[in-house]
Amino acid sequence: MSNKDLQPDGVPNERRIRRMLDAAARVAMRAAGDVEPNPLVGCVIARGDTIIGIGHHRRFGGPHAEREALADCRRRGHDPRGATLYCTLEPCRHHGKQPPCTDAVIGAGIARVIYARRDPGPESGGGDRVLCDAGIASLCVPDASDLAVRLSDPFVHRVRTGRPWVIAKWAQTLDGRIATRTGESQWITGPAMRRRVHRLRSCVDAVLVGVGTVLADDPMLTPRDVRRVRRDPSRVVLDTHGRTPRDAALIRSASEHRTVIVTADPAAEFPSPVRVLRVPGGGAGVDPRAAIEAIGQQLGAASILVEAGPRVLGSLLEADLVDEAFVHIAPIVLADQGAMAVASGRDAPRLADARRLTVLRSRSIGGDVEIWCRRTDAMQP
Ligand code: AOF
Ligand code: ZN
């Protein structure tokens, strides 16, 4: 390698920053479900427009993205000295389960660091300053790659609020109904979209329903037919008065898959190994915020997939606890006002009372459409 190759990399333009941060974000997403409660983080090392190393945080407790990318760079026979390192998250400066990334970046002779989002962690954050003090040009560029910034939303949310990330999923008709007036809901969407739901389940710590769904559908709520179950979620029932039938599939299978009842009834008892979390009642049922916090703290859940019916979903929306939604729409219309709506229980006479989400992506899967959206104020930098 000539000396010219090791000259400090020039200042990248916005197009190049977007390309590199997009690439870093895409590789990071491969570890969804494997790293939480840590963030998904991806990293690219480049000289000019040429990527010489790429890596991501692969599993909780494992090496951070920057070290993975530096190792990849050396494996490919490249020298990272003078190169630019692009990272979706500010390189950490703390000793956690891994040594500080700032040490690795400085030691490798990287000339410039571009990252998409600051690390809000009180100990891990602030690596930017450490890098600058070491003479490395370090810059937060939040507006080049939306993907790279959005990648850290769940992590930033957990650090800021102490609550798990709440993902709602529902399947609806074109006219926004989740079941007929007689309660028939199997199946609104087709098999490909239903496989997608199992994949979503396999990446979260808890799947949440209300007792109404247990009584109507007697579901199992396990991830099935997925290549790899990354996280085996607890199945959680919001059950104010402890009405879950003792012979429900969730109760009968509790020794194979964790089952948890969240109740406001101090006297409700369930057979072992079903776990009971007691939380205060609030308004119409279990206080939704207390329930989400209990699931986070007592089960150690970083993420919750809500597959509940209208009442529970409505109460979570009313308390503004839904961070993200996967809406699965089948091209069928019931046009029956007695059919079951997606969510209910709110009082929203004006459009200004609506909860607004921002669409991240929409795509069709097996003849149905998936809209992926996120609470707009979960998207603050
Ligand atoms: C980075 N790059 O790839 C990740 C970072 O306990 P540890 O050592 O795994 O540290 C986890 C913390 O490090 C996590 O809370 C977050 O602040 C940061 N994650 N930082 O520079 C990475 N995964
Ligand atoms: Zn790190």
Side-chain angles (χ1 to χ4, degrees), residues 174-195:
L174 279 179
D175 54 334
R177 306 292 168 154
I178 61 164
T180 65
R181 63 163 66 223
T182 61
E184 193 183 339
S185 63
Q186 292 174 351
W187 300 101
I188 290 178
T189 48
M193 195 63 101
R194 283 172 2 235
R195 274 197 299 280

Side-chain angles (χ1 to χ4, degrees), residues 200-264:
L200 292 174
R201 285 179 186 168
S202 76
C203 291
V204 296
D205 291 320
V207 175
L208 179 72
V209 295
V211 66
T213 300
V214 177
L215 293 170
D217 299 343
D218 195 21
M220 270 297 273
L221 303 175
T222 49
R224 300 183 293 278
D225 300 326
V226 288
R227 230 182 314 146
R228 183 163 66 87
V229 174
R230 296 171 177 226
R231 302 173 101 73
D232 188 21
S234 295
R235 301 163 309 160
V236 184
V237 185
L238 286 196
D239 185 359
T240 311
H241 304 294
R243 289 190 298 140
T244 299
R246 294 345 185 224
D247 63 349
L250 289 175
I251 303 294
R252 281 189 285 114
S253 60
S255 41
E256 293 92 68
H257 306 278
R258 285 180 306 274
T259 301
V260 180
I261 307 287
V262 180
T263 185

Side-chain angles (χ1 to χ4, degrees), residues 121-164:
E123 279 149 24
S124 51
D128 178 277
R129 168 56 68 81
V130 175
L131 295 170
C132 288
D133 288 349
I136 297 173
S138 176
L139 192 65
C140 181
V141 182
D143 39 17
S145 164
D146 201 42
L147 202 59
V149 177
R150 299 283 66 90
L151 198 61
S152 305
D153 282 342
F155 171 70
V156 171
H157 167 84
R158 284 192 287 270
V159 173
R160 281 194 187 144
T161 67
R163 287 197 306 271

Side-chain angles (χ1 to χ4, degrees), residues 64 66 91-92 99-101:
H64 289 185
E66 297 87 327
C92 69
C101 289

Side-chain angles (χ1 to χ4, degrees), residues 38-39 41 57 64-66 91-92 94 96-98 101 119 124 155:
N38 273 1
V41 183
H57 188 40
H64 289 185
E66 297 87 327
C92 69
H94 75 308
K97 288 175 287 305
Q98 293 288 327
C101 289
D119 185 334
S124 51
F155 171 70

